[in-house]
Amino acid sequence: FTGLDLEMTINEHYDEVLDVFSDLFIYIFDGINSRCKAELERVREQHPFEDLKYLRPTLKLTYAEGCALLREAGIPQDDYEDLSTENEKRLGDLVRAKYDTDFFFMDKYPLSVRPFYTMPCPENPKLSNSYDFFIRGQEILSGAQRIHEPDFLEERAKAWGIDLKTIEEYVNSFRNGALPHGGGGIGLERVVMLFLGLPNIRKAAWFPRDPKRLAP
């Protein structure tokens, strides 16, 4: 597993982070399509796939809008419950049919399904300033605005029933001051697998590990 993490200072609103991620992925997709045409065709010979469809700027949905799309298609999904893997894939199909894109992100996830250090939404305390990015209905990035105030971190930790002694060093790291910030973690192999429409993530890893393969 190769993880790519990005964290950045927020000047006014965490949408700045979403804009950076959107521009980053569009740059990556454009670069692959323009500079790796021969390599893409070699992959396509072994594993036929449809070219990835993506918009400029990237399609943005709220979590509630995504849940509504599922319900409109007859798929049960509550606005405050986490999406199952199956429902994420179904949502990807619905988004492609409605918006003609394989790449999108959803914002404003329920606070209850995100880590304690996620910043709550100021307009709705049941929601959070958090987001996931998807390719072909599968998550490739999860991120959020992080809480940067130590007293608020402790408050949120207590709400989750976390022993403050176990996170004391983490909380103390913010006591000398920290700027508002946000970011996310990208699963590189997942991006490669889904961009190329590969049948298994092992096809996108240099040295895949699974219950039956530990070496090389």
Side-chain angles (χ1 to χ4, degrees), residues 103-138:
F103 177 60
F104 68 98
F105 67 89
M106 287 200 299
D107 185 26
K108 297 296 182 187
Y109 272 68
L111 185 63
S112 62
V113 303
R114 307 302 270 203
F116 78 93
Y117 50 77
T118 303
M119 183 67 75
C121 172
E123 289 85 24
N124 184 343
K126 290 185 177 181
L127 302 180
S128 63
N129 292 355
S130 65
Y131 38 83
D132 283 356
F133 281 67
F134 298 87
I135 295 178
R136 306 188 200 271
Q138 296 191 54

PDB file of all heavy atoms in Angstrom, residues 103-138:
ATOM      1  N   PHE A 103     -15.408  10.561 -12.120  1.00  0.00           N
ATOM      2  CA  PHE A 103     -14.605  11.134 -11.031  1.00  0.00           C
ATOM      3  C   PHE A 103     -15.387  12.254 -10.366  1.00  0.00           C
ATOM      4  O   PHE A 103     -15.840  13.197 -11.032  1.00  0.00           O
ATOM      5  CB  PHE A 103     -13.292  11.674 -11.599  1.00  0.00           C
ATOM      6  CG  PHE A 103     -12.404  12.342 -10.587  1.00  0.00           C
ATOM      7  CD1 PHE A 103     -11.936  11.630  -9.493  1.00  0.00           C
ATOM      8  CD2 PHE A 103     -12.038  13.666 -10.734  1.00  0.00           C
ATOM      9  CE1 PHE A 103     -11.117  12.253  -8.549  1.00  0.00           C
ATOM     10  CE2 PHE A 103     -11.216  14.291  -9.805  1.00  0.00           C
ATOM     11  CZ  PHE A 103     -10.754  13.580  -8.710  1.00  0.00           C
ATOM     12  N   PHE A 104     -15.570  12.151  -9.055  1.00  0.00           N
ATOM     13  CA  PHE A 104     -16.319  13.168  -8.316  1.00  0.00           C
ATOM     14  C   PHE A 104     -15.939  13.095  -6.846  1.00  0.00           C
ATOM     15  O   PHE A 104     -15.239  12.175  -6.407  1.00  0.00           O
ATOM     16  CB  PHE A 104     -17.831  12.963  -8.484  1.00  0.00           C
ATOM     17  CG  PHE A 104     -18.376  11.720  -7.824  1.00  0.00           C
ATOM     18  CD1 PHE A 104     -18.989  11.770  -6.583  1.00  0.00           C
ATOM     19  CD2 PHE A 104     -18.277  10.479  -8.454  1.00  0.00           C
ATOM     20  CE1 PHE A 104     -19.492  10.616  -5.980  1.00  0.00           C
ATOM     21  CE2 PHE A 104     -18.774   9.333  -7.867  1.00  0.00           C
ATOM     22  CZ  PHE A 104     -19.384   9.400  -6.625  1.00  0.00           C
ATOM     23  N   PHE A 105     -16.389  14.083  -6.090  1.00  0.00           N
ATOM     24  CA  PHE A 105     -16.202  13.997  -4.640  1.00  0.00           C
ATOM     25  C   PHE A 105     -17.469  14.423  -3.925  1.00  0.00           C
ATOM     26  O   PHE A 105     -18.304  15.153  -4.476  1.00  0.00           O
ATOM     27  CB  PHE A 105     -14.992  14.815  -4.172  1.00  0.00           C
ATOM     28  CG  PHE A 105     -15.107  16.315  -4.320  1.00  0.00           C
ATOM     29  CD1 PHE A 105     -15.646  17.098  -3.309  1.00  0.00           C
ATOM     30  CD2 PHE A 105     -14.627  16.949  -5.456  1.00  0.00           C
ATOM     31  CE1 PHE A 105     -15.725  18.473  -3.432  1.00  0.00           C
ATOM     32  CE2 PHE A 105     -14.696  18.330  -5.599  1.00  0.00           C
ATOM     33  CZ  PHE A 105     -15.253  19.098  -4.584  1.00  0.00           C
ATOM     34  N   MET A 106     -17.608  13.920  -2.713  1.00  0.00           N
ATOM     35  CA  MET A 106     -18.732  14.272  -1.845  1.00  0.00           C
ATOM     36  C   MET A 106     -18.210  14.953  -0.592  1.00  0.00           C
ATOM     37  O   MET A 106     -17.204  14.538  -0.012  1.00  0.00           O
ATOM     38  CB  MET A 106     -19.556  13.042  -1.472  1.00  0.00           C
ATOM     39  CG  MET A 106     -20.385  12.509  -2.607  1.00  0.00           C
ATOM     40  SD  MET A 106     -21.750  11.459  -2.060  1.00  0.00           S
ATOM     41  CE  MET A 106     -20.872  10.138  -1.242  1.00  0.00           C
ATOM     42  N   ASP A 107     -18.930  15.988  -0.178  1.00  0.00           N
ATOM     43  CA  ASP A 107     -18.555  16.855   0.935  1.00  0.00           C
ATOM     44  C   ASP A 107     -19.638  16.771   2.019  1.00  0.00           C
ATOM     45  O   ASP A 107     -20.751  16.345   1.759  1.00  0.00           O
ATOM     46  CB  ASP A 107     -18.424  18.281   0.398  1.00  0.00           C
ATOM     47  CG  ASP A 107     -17.924  19.263   1.437  1.00  0.00           C
ATOM     48  OD1 ASP A 107     -17.221  18.836   2.377  1.00  0.00           O
ATOM     49  OD2 ASP A 107     -18.232  20.462   1.293  1.00  0.00           O
ATOM     50  N   LYS A 108     -19.273  17.195   3.226  1.00  0.00           N
ATOM     51  CA  LYS A 108     -20.213  17.271   4.347  1.00  0.00           C
ATOM     52  C   LYS A 108     -20.715  15.894   4.785  1.00  0.00           C
ATOM     53  O   LYS A 108     -21.913  15.612   4.852  1.00  0.00           O
ATOM     54  CB  LYS A 108     -21.415  18.170   3.997  1.00  0.00           C
ATOM     55  CG  LYS A 108     -21.041  19.625   3.737  1.00  0.00           C
ATOM     56  CD  LYS A 108     -20.481  20.303   4.970  1.00  0.00           C
ATOM     57  CE  LYS A 108     -20.163  21.761   4.718  1.00  0.00           C
ATOM     58  NZ  LYS A 108     -19.469  22.408   5.866  1.00  0.00           N
ATOM     59  N   TYR A 109     -19.770  15.018   5.129  1.00  0.00           N
ATOM     60  CA  TYR A 109     -20.124  13.705   5.661  1.00  0.00           C
ATOM     61  C   TYR A 109     -20.672  13.835   7.082  1.00  0.00           C
ATOM     62  O   TYR A 109     -20.336  14.791   7.802  1.00  0.00           O
ATOM     63  CB  TYR A 109     -18.895  12.793   5.672  1.00  0.00           C
ATOM     64  CG  TYR A 109     -18.693  12.028   4.392  1.00  0.00           C
ATOM     65  CD1 TYR A 109     -18.353  12.688   3.219  1.00  0.00           C
ATOM     66  CD2 TYR A 109     -18.857  10.648   4.347  1.00  0.00           C
ATOM     67  CE1 TYR A 109     -18.184  11.993   2.035  1.00  0.00           C
ATOM     68  CE2 TYR A 109     -18.678   9.939   3.162  1.00  0.00           C
ATOM     69  CZ  TYR A 109     -18.340  10.629   2.011  1.00  0.00           C
ATOM     70  OH  TYR A 109     -18.177   9.939   0.843  1.00  0.00           O
ATOM     71  N   PRO A 110     -21.479  12.881   7.521  1.00  0.00           N
ATOM     72  CA  PRO A 110     -21.961  12.910   8.911  1.00  0.00           C
ATOM     73  C   PRO A 110     -20.788  12.887   9.886  1.00  0.00           C
ATOM     74  O   PRO A 110     -19.824  12.136   9.690  1.00  0.00           O
ATOM     75  CB  PRO A 110     -22.799  11.628   9.022  1.00  0.00           C
ATOM     76  CG  PRO A 110     -23.176  11.289   7.623  1.00  0.00           C
ATOM     77  CD  PRO A 110     -22.035  11.745   6.768  1.00  0.00           C
ATOM     78  N   LEU A 111     -20.873  13.686  10.908  1.00  0.00           N
ATOM     79  CA  LEU A 111     -19.795  13.759  11.897  1.00  0.00           C
ATOM     80  C   LEU A 111     -19.597  12.419  12.593  1.00  0.00           C
ATOM     81  O   LEU A 111     -18.474  12.052  12.953  1.00  0.00           O
ATOM     82  CB  LEU A 111     -20.108  14.850  12.927  1.00  0.00           C
ATOM     83  CG  LEU A 111     -19.036  15.148  13.965  1.00  0.00           C
ATOM     84  CD1 LEU A 111     -17.765  15.674  13.303  1.00  0.00           C
ATOM     85  CD2 LEU A 111     -19.562  16.167  14.987  1.00  0.00           C
ATOM     86  N   SER A 112     -20.671  11.669  12.751  1.00  0.00           N
ATOM     87  CA  SER A 112     -20.619  10.411  13.503  1.00  0.00           C
ATOM     88  C   SER A 112     -19.802   9.327  12.814  1.00  0.00           C
ATOM     89  O   SER A 112     -19.416   8.349  13.456  1.00  0.00           O
ATOM     90  CB  SER A 112     -22.039   9.898  13.755  1.00  0.00           C
ATOM     91  OG  SER A 112     -22.700   9.630  12.520  1.00  0.00           O
ATOM     92  N   VAL A 113     -19.522   9.475  11.512  1.00  0.00           N
ATOM     93  CA  VAL A 113     -18.782   8.433  10.794  1.00  0.00           C
ATOM     94  C   VAL A 113     -17.342   8.864  10.490  1.00  0.00           C
ATOM     95  O   VAL A 113     -16.635   8.176   9.752  1.00  0.00           O
ATOM     96  CB  VAL A 113     -19.501   8.031   9.478  1.00  0.00           C
ATOM     97  CG1 VAL A 113     -20.910   7.573   9.779  1.00  0.00           C
ATOM     98  CG2 VAL A 113     -19.495   9.166   8.462  1.00  0.00           C
ATOM     99  N   ARG A 114     -16.897   9.975  11.088  1.00  0.00           N
ATOM    100  CA  ARG A 114     -15.545  10.468  10.854  1.00  0.00           C
ATOM    101  C   ARG A 114     -14.759  10.478  12.168  1.00  0.00           C
ATOM    102  O   ARG A 114     -15.330  10.435  13.256  1.00  0.00           O
ATOM    103  CB  ARG A 114     -15.577  11.875  10.265  1.00  0.00           C
ATOM    104  CG  ARG A 114     -16.434  12.013   9.043  1.00  0.00           C
ATOM    105  CD  ARG A 114     -16.016  11.090   7.897  1.00  0.00           C
ATOM    106  NE  ARG A 114     -15.045  11.691   7.021  1.00  0.00           N
ATOM    107  CZ  ARG A 114     -14.840  11.318   5.771  1.00  0.00           C
ATOM    108  NH1 ARG A 114     -15.553  10.346   5.240  1.00  0.00           N
ATOM    109  NH2 ARG A 114     -13.912  11.894   5.029  1.00  0.00           N
ATOM    110  N   PRO A 115     -13.415  10.546  12.103  1.00  0.00           N
ATOM    111  CA  PRO A 115     -12.589  10.544  13.323  1.00  0.00           C
ATOM    112  C   PRO A 115     -12.868  11.746  14.227  1.00  0.00           C
ATOM    113  O   PRO A 115     -13.373  12.779  13.758  1.00  0.00           O
ATOM    114  CB  PRO A 115     -11.160  10.593  12.769  1.00  0.00           C
ATOM    115  CG  PRO A 115     -11.252  10.075  11.380  1.00  0.00           C
ATOM    116  CD  PRO A 115     -12.598  10.509  10.877  1.00  0.00           C
ATOM    117  N   PHE A 116     -12.491  11.619  15.503  1.00  0.00           N
ATOM    118  CA  PHE A 116     -12.815  12.648  16.488  1.00  0.00           C
ATOM    119  C   PHE A 116     -12.177  13.994  16.167  1.00  0.00           C
ATOM    120  O   PHE A 116     -12.673  15.048  16.571  1.00  0.00           O
ATOM    121  CB  PHE A 116     -12.386  12.194  17.893  1.00  0.00           C
ATOM    122  CG  PHE A 116     -10.912  12.311  18.170  1.00  0.00           C
ATOM    123  CD1 PHE A 116     -10.384  13.440  18.772  1.00  0.00           C
ATOM    124  CD2 PHE A 116     -10.042  11.286  17.819  1.00  0.00           C
ATOM    125  CE1 PHE A 116      -9.020  13.554  19.026  1.00  0.00           C
ATOM    126  CE2 PHE A 116      -8.687  11.380  18.063  1.00  0.00           C
ATOM    127  CZ  PHE A 116      -8.167  12.519  18.670  1.00  0.00           C
ATOM    128  N   TYR A 117     -11.068  13.992  15.450  1.00  0.00           N
ATOM    129  CA  TYR A 117     -10.343  15.240  15.163  1.00  0.00           C
ATOM    130  C   TYR A 117     -10.881  15.969  13.935  1.00  0.00           C
ATOM    131  O   TYR A 117     -10.308  16.971  13.494  1.00  0.00           O
ATOM    132  CB  TYR A 117      -8.853  14.973  14.986  1.00  0.00           C
ATOM    133  CG  TYR A 117      -8.519  13.853  14.017  1.00  0.00           C
ATOM    134  CD1 TYR A 117      -8.588  14.041  12.641  1.00  0.00           C
ATOM    135  CD2 TYR A 117      -8.145  12.598  14.490  1.00  0.00           C
ATOM    136  CE1 TYR A 117      -8.306  13.019  11.755  1.00  0.00           C
ATOM    137  CE2 TYR A 117      -7.848  11.557  13.608  1.00  0.00           C
ATOM    138  CZ  TYR A 117      -7.924  11.782  12.250  1.00  0.00           C
ATOM    139  OH  TYR A 117      -7.643  10.753  11.370  1.00  0.00           O
ATOM    140  N   THR A 118     -11.993  15.487  13.369  1.00  0.00           N
ATOM    141  CA  THR A 118     -12.605  16.132  12.206  1.00  0.00           C
ATOM    142  C   THR A 118     -13.392  17.363  12.647  1.00  0.00           C
ATOM    143  O   THR A 118     -14.159  17.314  13.609  1.00  0.00           O
ATOM    144  CB  THR A 118     -13.540  15.153  11.482  1.00  0.00           C
ATOM    145  OG1 THR A 118     -12.803  13.989  11.104  1.00  0.00           O
ATOM    146  CG2 THR A 118     -14.150  15.792  10.254  1.00  0.00           C
ATOM    147  N   MET A 119     -13.241  18.459  11.924  1.00  0.00           N
ATOM    148  CA  MET A 119     -13.942  19.701  12.264  1.00  0.00           C
ATOM    149  C   MET A 119     -15.433  19.564  11.973  1.00  0.00           C
ATOM    150  O   MET A 119     -15.821  19.240  10.845  1.00  0.00           O
ATOM    151  CB  MET A 119     -13.367  20.862  11.455  1.00  0.00           C
ATOM    152  CG  MET A 119     -13.985  22.213  11.781  1.00  0.00           C
ATOM    153  SD  MET A 119     -13.580  22.795  13.464  1.00  0.00           S
ATOM    154  CE  MET A 119     -11.871  23.310  13.226  1.00  0.00           C
ATOM    155  N   PRO A 120     -16.289  19.811  12.971  1.00  0.00           N
ATOM    156  CA  PRO A 120     -17.733  19.791  12.713  1.00  0.00           C
ATOM    157  C   PRO A 120     -18.142  20.930  11.783  1.00  0.00           C
ATOM    158  O   PRO A 120     -17.474  21.969  11.706  1.00  0.00           O
ATOM    159  CB  PRO A 120     -18.337  19.982  14.110  1.00  0.00           C
ATOM    160  CG  PRO A 120     -17.252  19.589  15.064  1.00  0.00           C
ATOM    161  CD  PRO A 120     -15.975  19.982  14.391  1.00  0.00           C
ATOM    162  N   CYS A 121     -19.249  20.728  11.090  1.00  0.00           N
ATOM    163  CA  CYS A 121     -19.787  21.767  10.230  1.00  0.00           C
ATOM    164  C   CYS A 121     -20.416  22.859  11.100  1.00  0.00           C
ATOM    165  O   CYS A 121     -21.242  22.561  11.964  1.00  0.00           O
ATOM    166  CB  CYS A 121     -20.843  21.164   9.306  1.00  0.00           C
ATOM    167  SG  CYS A 121     -21.764  22.382   8.343  1.00  0.00           S
ATOM    168  N   PRO A 122     -20.068  24.131  10.879  1.00  0.00           N
ATOM    169  CA  PRO A 122     -20.626  25.197  11.723  1.00  0.00           C
ATOM    170  C   PRO A 122     -22.114  25.422  11.509  1.00  0.00           C
ATOM    171  O   PRO A 122     -22.792  25.928  12.403  1.00  0.00           O
ATOM    172  CB  PRO A 122     -19.807  26.432  11.311  1.00  0.00           C
ATOM    173  CG  PRO A 122     -19.293  26.127   9.952  1.00  0.00           C
ATOM    174  CD  PRO A 122     -19.077  24.643   9.921  1.00  0.00           C
ATOM    175  N   GLU A 123     -22.638  25.032  10.333  1.00  0.00           N
ATOM    176  CA  GLU A 123     -24.069  25.231  10.063  1.00  0.00           C
ATOM    177  C   GLU A 123     -24.935  24.090  10.560  1.00  0.00           C
ATOM    178  O   GLU A 123     -26.119  24.271  10.823  1.00  0.00           O
ATOM    179  CB  GLU A 123     -24.300  25.409   8.554  1.00  0.00           C
ATOM    180  CG  GLU A 123     -23.798  26.719   7.983  1.00  0.00           C
ATOM    181  CD  GLU A 123     -22.319  26.649   7.631  1.00  0.00           C
ATOM    182  OE1 GLU A 123     -21.828  25.524   7.388  1.00  0.00           O
ATOM    183  OE2 GLU A 123     -21.652  27.704   7.605  1.00  0.00           O
ATOM    184  N   ASN A 124     -24.361  22.894  10.673  1.00  0.00           N
ATOM    185  CA  ASN A 124     -25.120  21.728  11.112  1.00  0.00           C
ATOM    186  C   ASN A 124     -24.202  20.831  11.943  1.00  0.00           C
ATOM    187  O   ASN A 124     -23.314  20.178  11.387  1.00  0.00           O
ATOM    188  CB  ASN A 124     -25.664  20.963   9.897  1.00  0.00           C
ATOM    189  CG  ASN A 124     -26.545  19.781  10.288  1.00  0.00           C
ATOM    190  OD1 ASN A 124     -26.529  19.324  11.433  1.00  0.00           O
ATOM    191  ND2 ASN A 124     -27.311  19.272   9.337  1.00  0.00           N
ATOM    192  N   PRO A 125     -24.380  20.783  13.261  1.00  0.00           N
ATOM    193  CA  PRO A 125     -23.472  20.021  14.128  1.00  0.00           C
ATOM    194  C   PRO A 125     -23.485  18.519  13.878  1.00  0.00           C
ATOM    195  O   PRO A 125     -22.609  17.806  14.377  1.00  0.00           O
ATOM    196  CB  PRO A 125     -23.969  20.354  15.540  1.00  0.00           C
ATOM    197  CG  PRO A 125     -25.396  20.768  15.359  1.00  0.00           C
ATOM    198  CD  PRO A 125     -25.453  21.450  14.027  1.00  0.00           C
ATOM    199  N   LYS A 126     -24.455  18.013  13.107  1.00  0.00           N
ATOM    200  CA  LYS A 126     -24.478  16.591  12.779  1.00  0.00           C
ATOM    201  C   LYS A 126     -23.572  16.258  11.592  1.00  0.00           C
ATOM    202  O   LYS A 126     -23.308  15.093  11.323  1.00  0.00           O
ATOM    203  CB  LYS A 126     -25.911  16.137  12.465  1.00  0.00           C
ATOM    204  CG  LYS A 126     -26.843  16.115  13.670  1.00  0.00           C
ATOM    205  CD  LYS A 126     -28.196  15.541  13.275  1.00  0.00           C
ATOM    206  CE  LYS A 126     -29.121  15.436  14.482  1.00  0.00           C
ATOM    207  NZ  LYS A 126     -30.439  14.846  14.110  1.00  0.00           N
ATOM    208  N   LEU A 127     -23.110  17.304  10.898  1.00  0.00           N
ATOM    209  CA  LEU A 127     -22.263  17.116   9.723  1.00  0.00           C
ATOM    210  C   LEU A 127     -20.839  17.561  10.024  1.00  0.00           C
ATOM    211  O   LEU A 127     -20.548  18.104  11.084  1.00  0.00           O
ATOM    212  CB  LEU A 127     -22.823  17.898   8.531  1.00  0.00           C
ATOM    213  CG  LEU A 127     -24.246  17.567   8.105  1.00  0.00           C
ATOM    214  CD1 LEU A 127     -24.662  18.430   6.921  1.00  0.00           C
ATOM    215  CD2 LEU A 127     -24.391  16.090   7.776  1.00  0.00           C
ATOM    216  N   SER A 128     -19.948  17.336   9.087  1.00  0.00           N
ATOM    217  CA  SER A 128     -18.544  17.666   9.285  1.00  0.00           C
ATOM    218  C   SER A 128     -17.950  18.275   8.020  1.00  0.00           C
ATOM    219  O   SER A 128     -18.469  18.101   6.919  1.00  0.00           O
ATOM    220  CB  SER A 128     -17.748  16.410   9.664  1.00  0.00           C
ATOM    221  OG  SER A 128     -17.785  15.460   8.608  1.00  0.00           O
ATOM    222  N   ASN A 129     -16.838  18.978   8.203  1.00  0.00           N
ATOM    223  CA  ASN A 129     -16.096  19.529   7.073  1.00  0.00           C
ATOM    224  C   ASN A 129     -15.164  18.454   6.528  1.00  0.00           C
ATOM    225  O   ASN A 129     -13.945  18.546   6.609  1.00  0.00           O
ATOM    226  CB  ASN A 129     -15.304  20.760   7.504  1.00  0.00           C
ATOM    227  CG  ASN A 129     -16.194  21.932   7.865  1.00  0.00           C
ATOM    228  OD1 ASN A 129     -17.417  21.868   7.702  1.00  0.00           O
ATOM    229  ND2 ASN A 129     -15.604  23.006   8.346  1.00  0.00           N
ATOM    230  N   SER A 130     -15.757  17.405   5.987  1.00  0.00           N
ATOM    231  CA  SER A 130     -14.973  16.270   5.505  1.00  0.00           C
ATOM    232  C   SER A 130     -15.510  15.812   4.158  1.00  0.00           C
ATOM    233  O   SER A 130     -16.637  16.138   3.770  1.00  0.00           O
ATOM    234  CB  SER A 130     -15.011  15.116   6.505  1.00  0.00           C
ATOM    235  OG  SER A 130     -16.321  14.591   6.637  1.00  0.00           O
ATOM    236  N   TYR A 131     -14.703  15.003   3.464  1.00  0.00           N
ATOM    237  CA  TYR A 131     -14.990  14.693   2.069  1.00  0.00           C
ATOM    238  C   TYR A 131     -14.295  13.406   1.656  1.00  0.00           C
ATOM    239  O   TYR A 131     -13.300  12.982   2.262  1.00  0.00           O
ATOM    240  CB  TYR A 131     -14.500  15.830   1.170  1.00  0.00           C
ATOM    241  CG  TYR A 131     -13.190  16.419   1.648  1.00  0.00           C
ATOM    242  CD1 TYR A 131     -11.973  15.836   1.329  1.00  0.00           C
ATOM    243  CD2 TYR A 131     -13.183  17.534   2.481  1.00  0.00           C
ATOM    244  CE1 TYR A 131     -10.781  16.350   1.809  1.00  0.00           C
ATOM    245  CE2 TYR A 131     -11.991  18.058   2.972  1.00  0.00           C
ATOM    246  CZ  TYR A 131     -10.794  17.464   2.633  1.00  0.00           C
ATOM    247  OH  TYR A 131      -9.613  17.959   3.122  1.00  0.00           O
ATOM    248  N   ASP A 132     -14.821  12.773   0.615  1.00  0.00           N
ATOM    249  CA  ASP A 132     -14.178  11.628  -0.037  1.00  0.00           C
ATOM    250  C   ASP A 132     -14.200  11.868  -1.537  1.00  0.00           C
ATOM    251  O   ASP A 132     -15.168  12.428  -2.075  1.00  0.00           O
ATOM    252  CB  ASP A 132     -14.919  10.319   0.266  1.00  0.00           C
ATOM    253  CG  ASP A 132     -14.624   9.775   1.652  1.00  0.00           C
ATOM    254  OD1 ASP A 132     -13.794  10.363   2.363  1.00  0.00           O
ATOM    255  OD2 ASP A 132     -15.243   8.753   2.017  1.00  0.00           O
ATOM    256  N   PHE A 133     -13.144  11.420  -2.231  1.00  0.00           N
ATOM    257  CA  PHE A 133     -13.073  11.467  -3.683  1.00  0.00           C
ATOM    258  C   PHE A 133     -13.240  10.045  -4.228  1.00  0.00           C
ATOM    259  O   PHE A 133     -12.751   9.089  -3.621  1.00  0.00           O
ATOM    260  CB  PHE A 133     -11.733  12.032  -4.155  1.00  0.00           C
ATOM    261  CG  PHE A 133     -11.636  13.536  -4.088  1.00  0.00           C
ATOM    262  CD1 PHE A 133     -11.641  14.194  -2.863  1.00  0.00           C
ATOM    263  CD2 PHE A 133     -11.527  14.285  -5.248  1.00  0.00           C
ATOM    264  CE1 PHE A 133     -11.546  15.574  -2.805  1.00  0.00           C
ATOM    265  CE2 PHE A 133     -11.423  15.668  -5.200  1.00  0.00           C
ATOM    266  CZ  PHE A 133     -11.443  16.318  -3.969  1.00  0.00           C
ATOM    267  N   PHE A 134     -13.891   9.923  -5.389  1.00  0.00           N
ATOM    268  CA  PHE A 134     -14.213   8.620  -5.960  1.00  0.00           C
ATOM    269  C   PHE A 134     -13.821   8.548  -7.435  1.00  0.00           C
ATOM    270  O   PHE A 134     -13.943   9.525  -8.172  1.00  0.00           O
ATOM    271  CB  PHE A 134     -15.717   8.344  -5.863  1.00  0.00           C
ATOM    272  CG  PHE A 134     -16.248   8.284  -4.460  1.00  0.00           C
ATOM    273  CD1 PHE A 134     -16.647   9.447  -3.811  1.00  0.00           C
ATOM    274  CD2 PHE A 134     -16.346   7.071  -3.792  1.00  0.00           C
ATOM    275  CE1 PHE A 134     -17.144   9.400  -2.522  1.00  0.00           C
ATOM    276  CE2 PHE A 134     -16.839   7.023  -2.496  1.00  0.00           C
ATOM    277  CZ  PHE A 134     -17.230   8.181  -1.859  1.00  0.00           C
ATOM    278  N   ILE A 135     -13.361   7.370  -7.843  1.00  0.00           N
ATOM    279  CA  ILE A 135     -13.204   7.033  -9.257  1.00  0.00           C
ATOM    280  C   ILE A 135     -14.017   5.770  -9.518  1.00  0.00           C
ATOM    281  O   ILE A 135     -13.853   4.777  -8.814  1.00  0.00           O
ATOM    282  CB  ILE A 135     -11.731   6.775  -9.639  1.00  0.00           C
ATOM    283  CG1 ILE A 135     -10.902   8.046  -9.497  1.00  0.00           C
ATOM    284  CG2 ILE A 135     -11.635   6.258 -11.073  1.00  0.00           C
ATOM    285  CD1 ILE A 135      -9.424   7.844  -9.825  1.00  0.00           C
ATOM    286  N   ARG A 136     -14.891   5.827 -10.501  1.00  0.00           N
ATOM    287  CA  ARG A 136     -15.727   4.684 -10.891  1.00  0.00           C
ATOM    288  C   ARG A 136     -16.435   4.068  -9.679  1.00  0.00           C
ATOM    289  O   ARG A 136     -16.551   2.847  -9.555  1.00  0.00           O
ATOM    290  CB  ARG A 136     -14.908   3.640 -11.636  1.00  0.00           C
ATOM    291  CG  ARG A 136     -14.141   4.167 -12.853  1.00  0.00           C
ATOM    292  CD  ARG A 136     -13.517   3.019 -13.633  1.00  0.00           C
ATOM    293  NE  ARG A 136     -12.422   3.423 -14.506  1.00  0.00           N
ATOM    294  CZ  ARG A 136     -12.544   3.815 -15.778  1.00  0.00           C
ATOM    295  NH1 ARG A 136     -13.713   3.880 -16.323  1.00  0.00           N
ATOM    296  NH2 ARG A 136     -11.476   4.142 -16.488  1.00  0.00           N
ATOM    297  N   GLY A 137     -16.897   4.925  -8.758  1.00  0.00           N
ATOM    298  CA  GLY A 137     -17.674   4.459  -7.618  1.00  0.00           C
ATOM    299  C   GLY A 137     -16.887   3.860  -6.488  1.00  0.00           C
ATOM    300  O   GLY A 137     -17.471   3.239  -5.597  1.00  0.00           O
ATOM    301  N   GLN A 138     -15.559   4.054  -6.480  1.00  0.00           N
ATOM    302  CA  GLN A 138     -14.752   3.550  -5.376  1.00  0.00           C
ATOM    303  C   GLN A 138     -13.877   4.671  -4.818  1.00  0.00           C
ATOM    304  O   GLN A 138     -13.315   5.469  -5.572  1.00  0.00           O
ATOM    305  CB  GLN A 138     -13.890   2.375  -5.831  1.00  0.00           C
ATOM    306  CG  GLN A 138     -14.701   1.157  -6.258  1.00  0.00           C
ATOM    307  CD  GLN A 138     -13.858  -0.070  -6.440  1.00  0.00           C
ATOM    308  OE1 GLN A 138     -13.112  -0.476  -5.553  1.00  0.00           O
ATOM    309  NE2 GLN A 138     -13.962  -0.702  -7.600  1.00  0.00           N
TER     310      GLN A 138
END
